[in-house]
Amino acid sequence: MPTFGSSHNKPTTQTTKTQLPLSTSIITSTSVTPTPSSVGYAGCDGFPETEDIFVVMKTGATEAYDKLPIHFLTTLKCAKSYILFSDMEMNMAGKHLFDALDEISDKVKADNNDFELYRKLQEYYRLREDPRPLKENNNGWNLDKYKFTHMLLKTYRERPDAPWYVFMEADTALVWDNVRTFLDKYDPSKPYFFGSPTYLDIEFAHGGSGYFISQAAMQAAVGDHPEIAAHYDEGIHDICCGDWAVGRVMLDVDIHLTKTWPMINGEKPSTLPFAENHWCQPVLTMHHLTAQEVSQVWNFEQERKATGNQTPLIFMDIFNYFVSSALRPTRVDWSNLSTDMRYTPPPADYLDGKSYNGRTWSELNDIERNSPSSPDACHEACDDNEDCMQWMHKDNECALSRSIKLGGSKQPEQGKVSVSGWHLGRVEAFKAKAGDCKKVDWII
């Protein structure tokens, strides 16, 4: 993994496109004409004050029409200001999406396979064609990583005085009341970089989970270094991901990530691993949500408010609303994402491999060795393991889990059926022990 320093050469050929201010990119509460559906409780009554929060949402042209519209009705509906970035300039229902990549030099783009999709998108834009068919096999991940540092620069250029910058993606859900409460605990005149940690050669914030940056941090990282995006462009090709580059930019000015997991989270209600570390903590973000799931989370928040519930939304609430009633002793054609302990007979040349929590196959007890044979045997292995909260059997594998996950339906693949189950007695015992969270566990 490369580490870029001050000696990294800047691109010698700059794009000929004039850098214009993005003044029309800010969507404010006064620039959107109210409609009957946005008046009253269905609108913004009781919504937290967001004047000091600038939301930055990233998407891609091939997915924008599938993922963005729900945010106009939920996440962004009452936000005072936000900016939308994509890999193609476009308008959507009166909202403007800016091309995050239009200032990258021709030198970086030329003969660079990462920009194959980008070139196609520009052609589609000129012809006013629907870009969604390009979603299949489009190498979009390699293009996406170039957006991050340019989003930092363009965002700061647009609103350099914002106390807080909240970066998120179009499949991320934001719990506004909790975000407001969390940010109120910190002084934006000090350099803060909040996020869910990911580790490579450095520690950085997982982009999909979202990350929050204070005004002081943006000033130090971008305001004082307007060349930063171009500085990194040539090296982006050789790194994994754009959120790594954001972490590197912050470390270049000695700003380290403040770990905010699990509050800033990369999972969603059906994939969250409910346990002691996912129970009394407030939820700030969740990731990988479909448009329907973003709507469901938003509706749940509104239902809580309608009943006068002013407490922070915590993981226990997510469990009780979205997960608890769906748990069964056994569910066929279902994967509950059990992964902590996997039992499958090893190949003959790996009988001595310690692949089973530090034990070899021969060191397992009879129930464990028999667990891959059938769903009932896997169920028995979970019953026999006091740490097991759930189990899943498929083909010749039994997997157990220490946490509680809902998962989702899983249709048979080549005749291989997924069968899952939960140890409901232990689930109830965990809930009783964890309690009703009279004290919310803010990670600060």
Side-chain angles (χ1 to χ4, degrees):
M1 180 64 63
T3 299
F4 302 117
S6 59
S7 62
H8 183 75
N9 294 328
K10 300 177 185 178
T12 56
T13 304
Q14 298 296 325
T15 178
T16 57
K17 183 167 182 174
T18 304
Q19 294 183 6
L20 298 176
L22 306 182
S23 58
T24 57
S25 67
I26 292 186
I27 310 298
T28 69
S29 59
T30 58
S31 65
V32 178
T33 303
T35 63
S37 63
S38 65
V39 175
Y41 184 77
C44 301
D45 290 351
F47 197 80
E49 177 55 55
T50 62
E51 183 66 38
D52 61 336
I53 301 174
F54 193 28
V55 180
V56 185
M57 183 170 287
K58 177 176 70 70
T59 187
T62 62
E63 66 177 20
Y65 279 97
D66 297 324
K67 294 184 177 181
L68 267 186
I70 189 61
H71 288 287
F72 299 147
L73 301 173
T74 58
T75 315
L76 302 176
K77 181 177 184 177
C78 304
K80 290 293 177 62
S81 60
Y82 58 87
I83 189 168
L84 308 171
F85 287 111
S86 182
D87 39 29
M88 184 177 81
E89 187 172 12
M90 59 193 296
N91 291 308
M92 180 186 295
K95 312 296 192 298
H96 194 75
L97 280 68
F98 281 88
D99 183 350
L101 307 171
D102 61 355
E103 295 175 9
I104 296 179
S105 72
D106 294 336
K107 177 183 177 181
V108 172
K109 296 175 183 175
D111 300 321
N112 186 340
N113 290 335
D114 291 345
F115 284 85
E116 180 180 353
L117 172 62
Y118 186 70
R119 287 184 277 270
K120 291 180 181 178
L121 287 172
Q122 305 319 300
E123 181 66 17
Y124 271 55
Y125 177 73
R126 285 189 289 271
L127 298 175
R128 291 184 171 84
E129 291 191 51
D130 183 352
R132 285 179 292 182
L134 294 176
K135 188 173 184 178
E136 298 299 324
N137 303 316
N138 64 19
N139 206 27
W141 178 257
N142 287 339
L143 179 63
D144 187 76
K145 63 187 179 182
Y146 290 85
K147 298 174 188 174
F148 287 75
T149 53
H150 284 272
M151 286 170 50
L152 285 177
L153 178 62
K154 288 171 178 279
T155 295
Y156 183 81
R157 186 191 300 158
E158 179 55 50
R159 193 173 168 191
D161 61 343
W164 293 105
Y165 303 86
V166 170
F167 289 80
M168 60 183 295
E169 300 192 358
D171 59 350
T172 304
L174 195 70
V175 181
W176 266 113
D177 288 298
N178 285 354
V179 171
R180 174 74 277 168
T181 301
F182 175 76
L183 293 179
D184 281 345
K185 299 177 183 293
Y186 294 91
D187 180 357
S189 68
K190 297 179 180 179
Y192 288 113
F193 177 34
F194 298 112
S196 178
T198 299
Y199 305 90
L200 291 174
D201 62 320
I202 63 171
E203 183 179 72
F204 59 97
H206 176 235
S209 302
Y211 47 94
F212 309 161
I213 303 178
S214 68
Q215 201 284 327
M218 284 286 277
Q219 170 68 41
V222 182
D224 295 342
H225 302 279
E227 78 290 347
I228 195 66
H231 178 76
Y232 276 86
D233 279 344
E234 290 188 0
I236 293 292
H237 175 77
D238 297 319
I239 69 170
C240 71
C241 32
D243 40 10
W244 178 93
V246 173
R248 183 70 261 172
V249 167
M250 291 295 165
L251 285 176
D252 284 348
V253 291
D254 201 30
I255 297 175
H256 294 256
L257 177 67
T258 298
K259 304 178 190 66
T260 325
W261 181 89
M263 299 189 302
I264 294 179
N265 205 289
E267 303 297 336
K268 60 182 180 178
S270 62
T271 65
L272 282 165
F274 294 98
E276 186 176 353
N277 63 356
H278 281 79
W279 198 250
C280 293
Q281 301 79 11
V283 184
L284 301 183
T285 69
M286 291 182 283
H287 185 40
H288 290 309
L289 286 84
T290 64
Q292 179 181 351
E293 290 166 335
V294 169
S295 177
Q296 290 171 343
V297 171
W298 175 265
N299 289 340
F300 176 44
E301 293 180 71
Q302 307 318 306
E303 288 176 21
R304 296 177 80 245
K305 289 182 180 181
T307 63
N309 189 340
Q310 299 297 318
T311 62
L313 192 155
I314 59 177
F315 288 104
M316 179 189 71
D317 299 321
I318 297 290
F319 178 86
N320 289 336
Y321 187 86
F322 289 98
V323 176
S324 182
S325 63
L327 305 185
R328 303 282 188 276
T330 302
R331 291 191 74 158
V332 180
D333 294 335
W334 193 273
S335 168
N336 64 12
L337 308 176
S338 295
T339 58
D340 291 333
M341 295 161 278
R342 293 179 181 273
Y343 300 110
T344 187
D349 60 351
Y350 198 68
L351 293 176
D352 295 329
K354 295 190 175 183
S355 301
Y356 310 95
N357 294 330
R359 295 174 296 165
T360 65
W361 181 254
S362 61
E363 291 173 332
L364 303 181
N365 63 40
D366 292 342
I367 293 176
E368 290 173 311
R369 285 196 300 272
N370 186 53
S371 64
S373 64
S374 69
D376 287 342
C378 188
H379 190 166
E380 182 183 10
C382 183
D383 289 346
D384 188 60
N385 186 324
E386 63 181 14
D387 294 328
C388 179
M389 304 298 287
Q390 61 181 50
W391 57 272
M392 183 178 74
H393 182 273
K394 181 180 179 181
D395 192 26
N396 197 32
E397 179 179 89
C398 172
L400 313 182
S401 180
R402 302 181 186 90
S403 60
I404 309 164
K405 299 179 185 179
L406 175 59
S409 61
K410 183 76 170 179
Q411 295 305 307
E413 299 174 343
Q414 298 180 339
K416 300 175 181 178
V417 177
S418 296
V419 182
S420 296
W422 293 264
H423 196 298
L424 299 183
R426 290 182 186 142
V427 171
E428 291 303 314
F430 161 75
K431 291 169 60 178
K433 181 179 179 181
D436 54 6
C437 300
K438 294 296 184 182
K439 181 179 179 181
V440 176
D441 184 13
W442 292 93
I443 309 298
I444 58 176

